Amino acid sequence: MQHISKTTLARIFNIAVALVCLLAFFIGQAHAAWYEATGQAVVVNGNKSAAKRTATQEALKQAMLFAGASVQSVAKLTNGLLENEEMTIRSTGEVEHLELVDEIFNGDVVTVRVRADIFPKGKICSAQHDEKHFATTHFRIRNRAQLTQGNIPHFDKAFTQRFADAMQNQSENLKISYIAPHTAKFDSRYTDQNIRTLAAQGNTQFVIIGVINDLSMGKEKGTSLFSPWRNSVPRRVFSMSLQLYDGINGGLLFNSTYQGEEEWTFDRFEDVDEFSSTFWLSRYGQAIDGVISEAVEDIKESTACQPITGRVIDVVDNRISVSLGRDNGISEKDEMYLYQAKEVIDNRGRKYLQYSLYPGTFIVESAFSNSSVVISDAGITANIQNNDFVVKK
């Protein structure tokens, strides 16, 4: 009888699993299906629990992407799973059950296999692949005195750039294209106006306003008499609030708070370069990256079905120049709507935005990098003004 190697058996098994997954994918689009996936991570500085969590997140993310689900709750699910490894956890939404099948530590690499009961994402819209551009300011530090711990006075700038890089790397169509060189603390009475101004400055549709609420560090614990081998490493908190606005009308799309905590492995008197890879590859830097990843997924989910919207920048005869172009996924022959927005105040002094749609459909005649020229299919351009709005049909 011919001997079959372990490698060949493993290859056959993987093909069989893939076929089962594909069958579930094509047959069970409207129903939940079980998916198995494997993730790996490197153990850094002996922190096996952090590596295990990262590997579990990667495995679940791969399973969810294959199933057609979103990955918004990956971090929350895997954190819950690691707290109670022997039980199947139950979640609302797209992941109904999640099980940790096995884990293998091989040197500095951990391999985790998960099994998830996943509902494919039912919300599909034509705008989910459109280019979405965002404006923001440097994330404001609520208590700047906390920056003296590690001497990181430019952390707001470093973090904002890290956030922008993560958004571009973690998605195919989201980009922070404008960062105002200051922080924002808007008076609540003028928030919508300030949001619209910031969006206009950056020529973007969306605005992100972030506040870093807490960077505090716990006190170092003294070495225990019974465990002198343990290092007395302090832990540092990271907490932020994030608001996402529609920059066209100033409306709030979502408001969320994120928090993490990890060991601060630098010396208490050391000056830390907050822009360096040394910082971002540390345990604390990696914990912040995890928070950023979760926030980016929330932004992706909140803007997925928001149609791209721009402004009229010039009107000459029957040709209208608008602030959307190839960078926004606009091509010749695309169809658009034009509308006017004005503020209306009721008898109680409350403000509302009123939208008036111009008749007909507008066709893209020429598309450039960040602008386009459109013409009306009905030849009607009367009353169209600069700063009117255009939305992709």
Side-chain angles (χ1 to χ4, degrees), residues 38-253:
T38 300
Q40 289 186 324
V42 176
V43 179
V44 179
N45 296 328
N47 193 340
K48 291 187 175 182
S49 61
K52 180 178 169 184
R53 183 165 55 248
T54 301
T56 307
Q57 289 179 1
E58 180 61 28
L60 180 56
K61 180 183 290 187
Q62 295 302 321
M64 294 182 74
L65 288 172
F66 182 82
S70 69
V71 292
Q72 183 176 8
S73 57
V74 168
K76 296 176 184 177
L77 285 171
T78 50
N79 284 338
L81 175 69
L82 293 173
E83 291 174 3
N84 190 7
E85 298 170 285
E86 297 178 357
M87 300 295 292
T88 297
I89 69 167
R90 188 174 182 86
S91 171
T92 58
E94 294 168 332
V95 178
E96 190 69 13
H97 294 85
L98 176 63
E99 296 177 357
L100 180 63
V101 178
D102 61 27
E103 60 182 81
I104 299 173
F105 284 91
N106 185 5
D108 289 335
V109 177
V110 59
T111 302
V112 171
R113 186 155 57 98
V114 299
R115 186 170 181 256
D117 188 12
I118 300 174
F119 285 87
K121 186 176 180 181
K123 189 178 181 182
I124 302 296
C125 54
S126 59
Q128 69 182 91
H129 298 299
D130 290 344
E131 295 285 334
K132 309 289 194 328
H133 287 214
F134 301 77
T136 189
T137 67
H138 293 147
F139 280 43
R140 182 167 61 88
I141 309 293
R142 191 175 295 277
N143 182 1
R144 295 195 66 86
Q146 294 174 345
L147 300 179
T148 60
Q149 298 171 312
N151 191 23
I152 47 175
H154 305 298
F155 182 79
D156 48 353
K157 297 178 183 178
F159 176 83
T160 305
Q161 189 58 56
R162 187 77 174 183
F163 194 99
D165 292 342
M167 179 177 287
Q168 189 161 359
N169 294 333
Q170 197 172 322
S171 66
E172 296 179 352
N173 61 330
L174 307 184
K175 181 180 181 181
I176 294 179
S177 53
Y178 178 71
I179 301 176
H182 56 77
T183 58
K185 187 176 182 180
F186 297 147
D187 187 312
S188 59
R189 295 172 297 174
Y190 308 110
T191 296
D192 56 347
Q193 179 180 339
N194 289 326
I195 291 298
R196 291 198 295 269
T197 299
L198 183 55
Q201 288 174 350
N203 191 26
T204 66
Q205 180 176 351
F206 302 101
V207 170
I208 297 170
I209 298 298
V211 179
I212 298 173
N213 299 309
D214 193 0
L215 290 168
S216 60
M217 194 173 338
K219 295 181 179 179
E220 294 186 16
K221 296 180 181 179
T223 303
S224 170
L225 179 65
F226 302 101
S227 55
W229 61 87
R230 291 186 178 175
N231 295 327
S232 55
V233 180
R235 298 183 68 83
R236 190 165 194 168
V237 173
F238 178 84
S239 173
M240 76 168 179
S241 299
L242 188 145
Q243 295 176 319
L244 176 66
Y245 291 91
D246 180 339
I248 301 301
N249 57 34
L252 181 65
L253 296 179

Side-chain angles (χ1 to χ4, degrees), residues 7 284 305:
T7 303
Y284 185 69
C305 292

Side-chain angles (χ1 to χ4, degrees), residues 149-153 264 266-267 270-276 279:
Q149 298 171 312
N151 191 23
I152 47 175
W264 181 257
F266 301 98
D267 184 85
E270 181 179 354
D271 289 348
V272 179
D273 181 358
E274 57 269 64
F275 292 93
S276 69
F279 172 77

